[in-house]
Amino acid sequence: MKKIRKYLIFTLFLIVGFTANLNAQSDLEINKVFEQYGKKRGSVLVEMSREMLEDYDFTYYKSIVTTSNKEAADFARRCLAVDEKGAKKVKQVVSNGVVTSIYLQLPPKDNYYRLVLFNETTLPEQKMTLIYIESEKDSEEILKFILKRK
């Protein structure tokens, strides 16, 4: 009986943890970028949660990289413009009138700090990277950690 009870409790924790991660960025407009372009040719979608991220102090990580898909980058910029309205901090790099890099520090959700990073390069080829990170650490600490590792 104790084994069955332990198994049920363990299964419940797995289900709750999995559904929490599914909803991690669901309230954000950028979620549409992951959904729409995540499985397209020329895209690489990466999604990781707690166990795989222990060394990084992240609780959730999701990224997409697209190559030779200007439409995806333009769509991501439009989605970011919507999410930017609720951001605590916004930093942008503009080149030739086009936003090429964006850093959004979003308000915490469920006691997790949230960070969105976007970058687009055109040389040597057009490439767009969009990253969503959740952590128990402040977004500034996450960014320092990322920059230090490079």
Side-chain angles (χ1 to χ4, degrees):
M1 194 64 165
K2 282 187 177 184
K3 284 185 179 182
I4 293 172
R5 188 170 163 189
K6 284 182 183 179
Y7 177 75
L8 288 173
I9 291 172
F10 177 73
T11 304
L12 179 64
F13 280 123
L14 282 177
I15 291 170
V16 169
F18 183 70
T19 55
N21 284 336
L22 284 177
N23 294 321
Q25 80 290 337
S26 64
D27 65 323
L28 300 174
E29 198 71 13
I30 60 162
N31 190 45
K32 293 177 181 176
V33 178
F34 295 118
E35 290 174 354
Q36 188 167 337
Y37 294 99
K39 294 181 181 175
K40 297 248 178 166
R41 186 178 196 151
S43 296
V44 176
L45 179 69
V46 176
E47 186 172 9
M48 295 183 280
S49 57
R50 290 187 184 274
E51 307 80 40
M52 301 172 78
L53 299 168
E54 285 179 8
D55 294 339
Y56 300 96
D57 289 326
F58 299 163
T59 53
Y60 186 73
Y61 172 95
K62 192 169 190 175
S63 70
I64 185 169
V65 176
T66 64
T67 53
S68 303
N69 191 339
K70 183 156 176 38
E71 177 187 306
D74 292 340
F75 182 69
R77 267 191 283 279
R78 287 192 301 273
C79 292
L80 286 161
V82 173
D83 292 335
E84 183 180 313
K85 292 174 186 163
K88 288 174 52 178
K89 187 179 280 187
V90 178
K91 295 181 183 177
Q92 296 181 343
V93 175
V94 178
S95 177
N96 296 324
V98 177
V99 176
T100 57
S101 295
I102 299 174
Y103 158 79
L104 297 180
Q105 181 182 357
L106 300 168
K109 180 179 179 188
D110 299 329
N111 295 323
Y112 295 113
Y113 292 96
R114 305 182 305 160
L115 177 67
V116 176
L117 302 167
F118 168 86
N119 188 56
E120 181 187 23
T121 58
T122 54
L123 296 173
E125 65 181 336
Q126 193 278 332
K127 185 181 278 190
M128 183 270 301
T129 304
L130 178 64
I131 301 171
Y132 173 83
I133 299 171
E134 282 187 1
S135 175
E136 293 173 346
K137 289 190 171 193
D138 183 78
S139 300
E140 293 291 330
E141 289 182 51
I142 296 168
L143 193 57
K144 285 178 191 174
F145 176 77
I146 291 170
L147 295 174
K148 189 169 92 176
R149 289 197 63 117
K150 284 192 165 191

